[in-house]
Amino acid sequence: MTVQAANSILYLDGVNKTFDGFKAINNLALVLQKGEMRAIIGPNGAGKTTMMDIITGKTRPDEGDVLFNGEIDLTKEDEASVARLGIGRKFQKPTVFETHTVEDNILLSLDQKRGVFDMLFATRTAKEQARIDELLALIRLEGRRDELASALSHGQKQWLEIGMLLAQDPKVLLVDEPAAGMTDAETMETAKLLREIAGERTVVVVEHDMEFVEALGVKVTVLNEGSVLAEGSLEQVSKNPAVIESYLGR
Ligand code: ADP
Ligand code: MG
């Protein structure tokens, strides 16, 4: 094993995936350190979502290394076991329990064994309540805790889902296009929120909104045709002729 793999939380190398003869992922390499936040950008069809599918065990690559913590081979795990290892994923569309309150959505995620009946009638521990309060403050929904999730805006539902994922204490959080459909103010607040989460956890964010990526202020990986086209600060990759040609200049 290389030194890079040993110190990483996520390590992809030589990853390939072909769908019906189409090479969606082409010799892809990506290394993330513990606590790092990384933005992934690239044109539609670049393979961003497929990369997340491969990390989370939804899609099995044809070949290549996909390691968690430098040792666990994620290509041998299914989605449920990858989630149990501590890799949480947020899809584009929020999936909150609309007919439950904001607070109960977090409670249900904190304790997955707790059924809806228990949730309504069992007392929660002081520790659980403290964690719920902390998460509600982080996702900017403390003042909305008693309202039904259905009353939230699209952006607030995205935050609630981030809170629900954090309730499961993941080591890595994968977030696919969180700013899509958000207002400008929500988009900027989401960048702040993700910056607060990173450090303690590793965060991978796929996003098209360049103002959002700029606000994240982290290293950017540009994907194109299933491989890494460029890596560096947003300023650096924005000046890269290959990036302008394939993506930003269009
Ligand atoms: P991105 O998220 O960067 O827009 P995707 O990862 O969704 O790109 O898709 C990369 C390419 O792989 C696209 O051409 C897409 O049509 C193809 N693809 C993704 N998943 C599948 C699948 N399950 N079956 C067939 N083709 C797929
Ligand atoms: Mg996608």
Side-chain angles (χ1 to χ4, degrees):
M1 184 189 300
T2 66
V3 175
Q4 245 193 341
N7 294 323
S8 63
I9 186 125
L10 278 179
Y11 175 90
L12 283 72
D13 193 33
V15 177
N16 288 293
K17 179 68 191 179
T18 299
F19 292 112
D20 310 316
F22 176 78
K23 203 142 204 197
I25 297 292
N26 185 8
N27 195 23
L28 178 64
L30 182 79
V31 182
L32 270 117
Q33 304 301 326
K34 284 190 186 74
E36 177 179 0
M37 174 153 62
R38 181 74 60 89
I40 312 280
I41 64 173
N44 272 329
K48 304 181 297 293
T49 298
T50 304
M51 182 188 83
M52 289 198 174
D53 290 344
I54 287 172
I55 293 168
T56 55
K58 186 176 179 200
T59 294
R60 214 160 288 284
D62 302 326
E63 53 184 344
D65 297 328
V66 185
L67 300 177
F68 176 60
N69 250 341
E71 53 180 5
I72 299 165
D73 181 355
L74 292 176
T75 67
K76 300 279 193 293
E77 311 287 338
D78 62 17
E79 277 184 278
S81 58
V82 171
R84 273 196 303 274
L85 284 169
I87 300 179
R89 178 179 195 179
K90 200 197 140 345
F91 289 91
Q92 244 169 289
K93 200 173 161 289
T95 49
V96 299
F97 302 106
E98 302 258 345
T99 59
H100 289 286
T101 65
V102 169
E103 175 158 5
D104 284 349
N105 267 273
I106 300 287
L107 177 62
L108 273 172
S109 312
L110 257 190
D111 186 355
Q112 305 255 311
K113 292 181 289 295
R114 189 188 285 260
V116 171
F117 181 85
D118 295 333
M119 179 179 75
L120 295 174
F121 297 105
T123 53
R124 55 196 75 163
T125 64
K127 202 177 155 199
E128 274 179 324
Q129 191 59 56
R131 181 78 181 125
I132 291 168
D133 294 347
E134 185 191 350
L135 286 169
L136 286 173
L138 175 73
I139 61 173
R140 285 80 170 146
L141 293 177
E142 234 174 353
R144 309 290 301 270
R145 64 199 303 156
D146 295 325
E147 290 178 56
L148 294 183
S150 58
L152 299 177
S153 72
H154 169 77
Q156 290 167 329
K157 283 179 190 170
Q158 301 277 23
W159 297 344
L160 179 55
E161 202 187 356
I162 290 172
M164 292 163 72
L165 281 168
L166 291 175
Q168 291 158 61
D169 205 21
K171 295 182 182 72
V172 178
L173 200 60
L174 307 174
V175 194
D176 204 350
E177 302 195 23
M182 282 191 180
T183 64
D184 289 351
E186 284 173 342
T187 299
M188 287 303 122
E189 202 59 38
T190 304
K192 266 174 82 180
L193 201 173
L194 291 174
R195 288 173 60 120
E196 287 166 27
I197 294 170
E200 196 180 338
R201 305 169 202 279
T202 305
V203 183
V204 182
V205 195
V206 166
E207 188 50 66
H208 280 291
D209 184 324
M210 285 305 140
E211 279 175 44
F212 173 82
V213 174
E214 192 177 4
L216 289 178
V218 297
K219 186 169 171 181
V220 174
T221 296
V222 187
L223 286 194
N224 188 44
E225 297 178 353
S227 12
V228 174
L229 186 62
E231 230 166 43
S233 69
L234 183 60
E235 205 194 337
Q236 285 168 342
V237 302
S238 302
K239 288 187 200 138
N240 184 314
V243 175
I244 295 168
E245 163 83 13
S246 75
Y247 183 42
L248 296 172
R250 298 199 303 188

